[in-house]
Amino acid sequence: MNRYNLSKSTKTALFFLSLLPLQWGLMWWFNLHPDDLELYYSPFFEAISTLQLYSLAWLPFSIGDVFYLFLVIWLAVLIYRFIKFKRNRLNRFISFLGFCALFYTLFNVFWGFNYYRRPLNQQLQLSSDYSTEALVEFTCELIEVANASHLSIVENDTSAVNFNFSKSEMQNLVFEAYQEPSNFPNKLNYPTENIKSSLLSLPLSYAGFSGYLNPFTKEAQFNSLMPQYKWPTTMAHEVSHQLGFAKENEANFIAALVCINSKHKYLRYAGLTFALKYSLNDIYKRDPELFKVMLADVNEGIIKNYKTSRQFWEKYRGPSEVIMKQIYGNFLKANNQPKGIETYSYVTALLVNYHNTYQLF
Ligand SMILES: [Zn+2]
């Protein structure tokens, strides 16, 4: 064979690379026409996700994590071989690019187009903004409800709530919480529980992440090293990704909503205090003095739960967390979330405006 002839693997790679402009065109189109996304992509996504959720739920560990581990090893071997062997480098490089294009295509087909769904506030016909008055009113009410929820579990307002559940118990509770008909104007359809403890919990802690969805297998992983108090909202957040709510802030809103609506008092407590943290943060940004006054009304036990969670992350804080947050922020920016990881006050907008229309608690 002439050495300038294209090998079969190079031809395959070029085919996958040629799919890229098509995907970018679709993204551009869906961004302008989110109704077309709902019409053509969403039913496909729901069908394929349901199939994936059922087919992998029985596995006690995350097959997606095993796949990631193999991928890292394979990449390391590939880089080593590329450096060591000089023969046929161009073909091998094109094959590698083709593999990346295939990976990216699968990512978009299985999951990525969800980033172009119509924003949740528009779907729910809610404003994406709120006045300071509305925020203060909402937060005052939320403090009262969160304090009452706290005292429904512990006897004394200075005690932190001690969560003592097994992983599977908590996973089942979150699954049950998703079955509540009051969760959304249209009930969320989570067909089967498929939440798994991450096999990568330690590196995840150093990277500063509490959980993630594997877009290829649809398994939801949570960092099991985190204090249990954070498990319910993290699991509920990842489940919302499984259902196609791709954006971080929308997933956080759904996590709060589902946990607050739960009949289980520990989940409700986790959801209320999760929502409270967002609204107090926003009060702080707008009026630090008022923040101090309002914080004084929050039960000391709740603050202790916040501290446990903060102390956990401080223990692992380091350069890897900063680097990972930077990478993830750029990933979000590349996926239609222009503010990257710093988009969280939109969560408060959803909470405040949802409460005014549908009564969150
Ligand atoms: Zn997320």
Side-chain angles (χ1 to χ4, degrees), residues 157-182:
D157 66 5
T158 58
S159 309
V161 173
N162 187 20
F163 282 62
N164 199 4
F165 298 89
S166 70
K167 290 173 192 169
S168 59
E169 273 170 345
M170 188 68 88
Q171 289 162 207
N172 281 325
L173 287 173
V174 171
F175 173 71
E176 279 164 26
Y178 262 92
Q179 308 310 312
E180 287 295 325
S182 53

Side-chain angles (χ1 to χ4, degrees), residues 100-248:
C100 294
L102 170 67
F103 202 72
Y104 181 68
T105 304
L106 291 177
F107 168 79
N108 282 325
V109 169
F110 282 127
W111 160 256
F113 286 126
N114 282 309
Y115 283 110
Y116 298 87
R117 283 175 76 175
R118 191 179 285 289
L120 192 53
N121 71 297
Q122 287 177 24
Q123 288 180 43
L124 298 173
Q125 295 176 325
L126 302 173
S127 159
S128 62
D129 204 3
Y130 49 93
S131 65
T132 303
E133 291 72 37
L135 172 66
V136 171
E137 200 180 309
F138 171 79
T139 311
C140 284
E141 212 181 314
L142 182 53
I143 290 174
E144 226 172 272
V145 180
N147 282 345
S149 161
H150 175 239
L151 285 173
S152 73
I153 303 175
V154 292
E155 285 183 358
N156 178 325
D157 66 5
T158 58
S159 309
V161 173
N162 187 20
F163 282 62
N164 199 4
F165 298 89
S166 70
K167 290 173 192 169
S168 59
E169 273 170 345
M170 188 68 88
Q171 289 162 207
N172 281 325
L173 287 173
V174 171
F175 173 71
E176 279 164 26
Y178 262 92
Q179 308 310 312
E180 287 295 325
S182 53
N183 272 336
F184 221 56
N186 305 314
K187 186 182 169 290
L188 295 160
N189 178 26
Y190 186 40
T192 184
E193 186 257 294
N194 187 335
I195 310 168
K196 294 170 184 184
S197 159
S198 173
L199 298 176
L200 314 166
S201 289
L202 188 64
L204 211 58
S205 303
Y206 282 107
F209 284 93
S210 45
Y212 54 95
L213 172 85
N214 186 312
F216 306 101
T217 65
K218 301 283 163 36
E219 292 164 298
Q221 287 75 205
F222 71 100
N223 179 344
S224 57
L225 295 177
M226 274 189 315
Q228 276 202 21
Y229 158 68
K230 290 302 295 170
W231 286 8
T233 47
T234 302
M235 290 179 184
H237 172 110
E238 301 309 331
V239 169
S240 79
H241 284 329
Q242 287 178 318
L243 303 183
F245 295 96
K247 292 174 181 157
E248 284 308 305

Side-chain angles (χ1 to χ4, degrees), residues 11-63:
K11 281 182 190 159
T12 315
L14 289 172
F15 168 73
F16 287 129
L17 284 165
S18 73
L19 295 177
L20 294 179
L22 180 73
Q23 290 168 63
W24 293 326
L26 273 174
M27 283 171 191
W28 170 80
W29 181 264
F30 286 150
N31 203 20
L32 294 175
H33 304 94
D35 288 339
D36 283 352
L37 182 87
E38 293 300 335
L39 194 64
Y40 300 111
Y41 178 72
S42 295
F44 163 79
F45 172 79
E46 202 179 322
I48 191 95
S49 294
T50 305
L51 189 71
Q52 287 177 301
L53 289 174
Y54 275 116
S55 57
L56 295 176
W58 62 277
L59 264 180
F61 63 91
S62 163
I63 191 79

